[in-house]
Amino acid sequence: MIPAKYPTDDALMGTAIEEARSATDHGDVPVAALVVVDGHIVARRHNEREAANDPTAHAEVLALRDAAEATGSWRLDGATVVVTLEPCPMCAGALQQARVARVVFGATDMKAGACGSLYNLGCDPRLNHEFAVTQGVRAEECAALLTDFFADRRQSSSP
């Protein structure tokens, strides 16, 4: 368990933004997730799809795995997950299955967002668990990480 305690969503997102920057070191899209239990970060990860050649190595899935190990339970009741980008359907499903209480995200994802933009898996009463969603925390900074990353990729691939 990481001992630092963060009282606000804004401060937590700042930590997630720092973590997201690490993804670019190995060519991954700069997205990061933190799992917070009782005000303490128990897991923090960034995307590793390219590094691991694993289509499921999204930051949220990796952070949930680490949090389950750190807490000794796959049930992350009461946990808050802070993510720089709105979770996709796979990740929203994993968050739902982990029984998290709340998801906080920065940038919306109009192409694949599953926590309010395209789908809303966190608030679907047909599922066996729902979680609260807070969106738009430091959204401009989170979006800028992605915009800059893809602009750099386009620029480096042009002749």
Side-chain angles (χ1 to χ4, degrees), residues 2 11 20 27 32 37 51 57 65 68 70 73 101 103 111 114-115 151:
I2 298 168
V37 176
R65 289 176 185 163
S73 176
V103 172
K111 293 181 179 179
C115 288

Side-chain angles (χ1 to χ4, degrees), residues 1 11 18 24 46 85 87 107 111 118 139:
M1 184 177 335
E18 289 173 23
T24 61
H46 56 268
L85 178 65
K111 293 181 179 179
L118 191 57

Side-chain angles (χ1 to χ4, degrees), residues 22-103:
S22 301
T24 61
D25 293 344
H26 45 77
D28 273 292
V29 177
V31 176
L34 312 176
V35 180
V36 182
V37 176
D38 295 328
H40 296 276
I41 299 171
V42 297
R44 67 186 270 178
R45 292 294 288 269
H46 56 268
N47 276 358
E48 294 184 16
R49 290 187 309 169
E50 297 295 333
N53 274 331
D54 180 353
T56 68
H58 288 208
E60 300 94 323
V61 171
L62 298 173
L64 288 173
R65 289 176 185 163
D66 289 354
E69 186 174 334
T71 63
S73 176
W74 64 268
R75 288 181 176 266
L76 298 174
D77 298 313
T80 295
V81 177
V82 179
V83 189
T84 55
L85 178 65
E86 180 179 3
C88 70
M90 175 184 70
C91 293
L95 294 162
Q96 188 266 341
Q97 290 296 312
R99 311 295 197 267
V100 302
R102 184 168 166 254
V103 172

